[in-house]
Amino acid sequence: MRGVAVVNNPQKILLIDGMSFLFRAFYASAWTGGYRQTSQGVYTNAVHGFTKMMLDYIDLIQPTHVAVGWDVAARETLIRSQWYDGYKSNRNAPPDELIPQFDLVKEVTDAFSVPNIGCPGYEGDDVLGTLSTMLAADGNEVVIATGDYDSLQLVSEKVSVKILKNGGKHEHYTPASLLHLRGITPEQVVDVKALMGDASDCIPGCPGIGEKTAHKLITEHQSLDNLYSRLEACTPKMRAKLEENRDQVYLSQKLATIICDVPITFEPDQAKWEYENTRVREKFDELEFGRSLLSRIN
C-alpha cells in the first residue's frame, strides 16, 4: 500500500465502516415512517444516527485515532464486478431521503477532523482491511466497527472487530472469541463463504451447500484447498457437487476475500481524535441536532 506513514508509538485506532453505520442509522429511524429533517427540509436522520453511533463507540473504545472507510464507486465500476458480472447485482438504489446524506455525513466527520477514506473500484471493507493490516503491522491496536461479518477475516492478535447489532449492542471478536463463538479461525471465514455463497452480495458459492455444511467441511478439512485435495473422503454426492462447481467455488473465495493492498494515502497523524469544539458546534447547529448530541461535545 502506498502512502501509509508509520505511527512511532503504538496507538489505539478505531476504524469505522461508514456505509454500515450510515445505512443502519437510516433504517433504525426510518422504519416508523418519520425522517428527521431540519427546518429547511434537509434530511438528517441517518447523519444524526451515524454521529451518535460514532460517539458511542469512541466513548466505549477510547481510541487515540479514528478514521472512516467508505464505498466510493457504483457497483458497475467495482473491481469485483469485473471478476463476476453478477456481483451485488441485486442491490437497489438507496432511498431518496438517504442519498443527500452520503455527502452530509462526511461533512460531519470532517468537522471532527476524522478522515474519510475511499478508493475508486474498491469497497469500504477493502479500505478497512488495508488500513488495519498496515497499522497492526506497525504494532498498533486496531478496532474495526462494522455490521459486516465478512470483516471477521481481518481479526488478528492486533485487530479486533465489533459487529453492530440491533438495540445499540455489538458482538466483540478476537481470534479466541471467534473460535469460541463460531468454531472457525479468521482464515477460515472466507473459505466457509466460498462454499455457502452469499445471497446478499450475489456470491454464488456451491449449489446445494448451505452454511451448516460449509462450516462442517471447512472445520473438518481446515481449508478449501485441503478439502479439494481430499475429495475422496467425501460422499459421492458431495464429491460430485464440489467437482462440478470447483471454478465457481474458487471465484466465490476470491470475491469474498477482503483486499488488503488498496492504493490509498493515509497519514495517521491526521486521524488523531481531537477536534475544534467551535467547528463541530457550528455544524451541529446547522443540522439542528439539538441538545442530546451537543451535550456530548467537549
Side-chain angles (χ1 to χ4, degrees), residues 140-189:
N140 301 288
E141 178 184 354
V142 181
V143 181
I144 298 172
T146 179
D148 192 344
Y149 281 94
D150 288 348
S151 294
L152 296 181
Q153 64 189 269
L154 300 174
V155 169
S156 69
E157 292 304 320
K158 288 291 186 179
V159 179
S160 61
V161 172
K162 290 187 180 296
I163 299 290
L164 310 181
K165 306 295 288 184
N166 293 333
K169 298 178 181 179
H170 68 266
E171 296 173 351
H172 181 73
Y173 286 94
T174 63
S177 64
L178 176 60
L179 187 61
H180 174 71
L181 294 172
R182 294 183 167 260
I184 54 177
T185 66
E187 295 76 17
Q188 292 172 328
V189 169

Side-chain angles (χ1 to χ4, degrees), residues 2-276:
R2 302 192 300 270
V4 175
V6 175
V7 179
N8 293 325
N9 299 312
Q11 306 289 346
K12 191 174 197 179
I13 302 170
L14 171 62
L15 301 178
I16 293 172
D17 183 341
M19 286 299 188
S20 183
F21 268 49
L22 191 65
F23 273 88
R24 181 172 290 268
F26 178 82
Y27 287 109
S29 60
W31 69 273
T32 60
Y35 298 97
R36 186 185 185 100
Q37 295 175 264
T38 67
S39 56
Q40 302 300 312
V42 177
Y43 290 107
T44 61
N45 65 313
V47 179
H48 185 276
F50 178 103
T51 305
K52 180 182 181 301
M53 291 166 63
M54 181 180 76
L55 293 175
D56 285 345
Y57 275 88
I58 288 170
D59 287 347
L60 174 67
I61 295 167
Q62 295 292 303
T64 58
H65 297 67
V66 182
V68 184
W70 294 98
D71 298 349
V72 296
R75 183 197 71 83
E76 294 78 9
T77 63
L78 293 174
I79 189 170
R80 288 179 179 82
S81 295
Q82 298 172 25
W83 300 339
Y84 177 55
D85 187 57
Y87 182 68
K88 290 191 173 180
S89 59
N90 61 344
R91 297 296 175 94
N92 296 319
D96 291 341
E97 296 85 355
L98 176 59
I99 292 174
Q101 299 187 66
F102 288 125
D103 290 332
L104 195 57
V105 71
K106 294 178 183 178
E107 294 178 14
V108 172
T109 52
D110 186 62
F112 277 106
S113 297
V114 171
N116 294 296
I117 307 170
C119 185
Y122 298 90
E123 299 172 66
D125 283 351
D126 301 321
V127 171
L128 299 183
T130 300
L131 291 174
S132 64
T133 299
M134 297 301 295
L135 291 167
D138 292 334
N140 301 288
E141 178 184 354
V142 181
V143 181
I144 298 172
T146 179
D148 192 344
Y149 281 94
D150 288 348
S151 294
L152 296 181
Q153 64 189 269
L154 300 174
V155 169
S156 69
E157 292 304 320
K158 288 291 186 179
V159 179
S160 61
V161 172
K162 290 187 180 296
I163 299 290
L164 310 181
K165 306 295 288 184
N166 293 333
K169 298 178 181 179
H170 68 266
E171 296 173 351
H172 181 73
Y173 286 94
T174 63
S177 64
L178 176 60
L179 187 61
H180 174 71
L181 294 172
R182 294 183 167 260
I184 54 177
T185 66
E187 295 76 17
Q188 292 172 328
V189 169
V190 173
D191 287 354
V192 170
K193 179 165 281 195
L195 290 172
M196 64 179 279
D198 184 348
S200 66
D201 287 341
C202 296
I203 295 177
C206 184
I209 294 182
E211 181 176 7
K212 185 176 180 180
T213 300
H215 191 281
K216 181 175 183 291
L217 288 170
I218 295 302
T219 53
E220 285 182 355
H221 296 275
Q222 289 78 55
S223 73
L224 192 62
D225 288 342
N226 283 348
L227 170 62
Y228 270 101
S229 69
R230 304 169 181 169
L231 287 182
E232 71 280 357
C234 298
T235 64
K237 184 177 180 181
M238 179 60 68
R239 183 165 63 250
K241 285 181 185 178
L242 291 169
E243 288 177 337
E244 181 180 351
N245 294 285
R246 179 191 293 260
D247 290 345
Q248 183 167 290
V249 168
Y250 274 100
L251 172 61
S252 298
Q253 183 193 50
K254 183 178 181 180
L255 293 169
T257 300
I258 292 175
I259 300 168
C260 292
D261 58 356
V262 174
I264 54 177
T265 298
F266 176 66
E267 295 291 341
D269 285 346
Q270 296 176 358
K272 286 183 179 179
W273 176 238
E274 53 187 22
Y275 56 87
E276 296 178 11

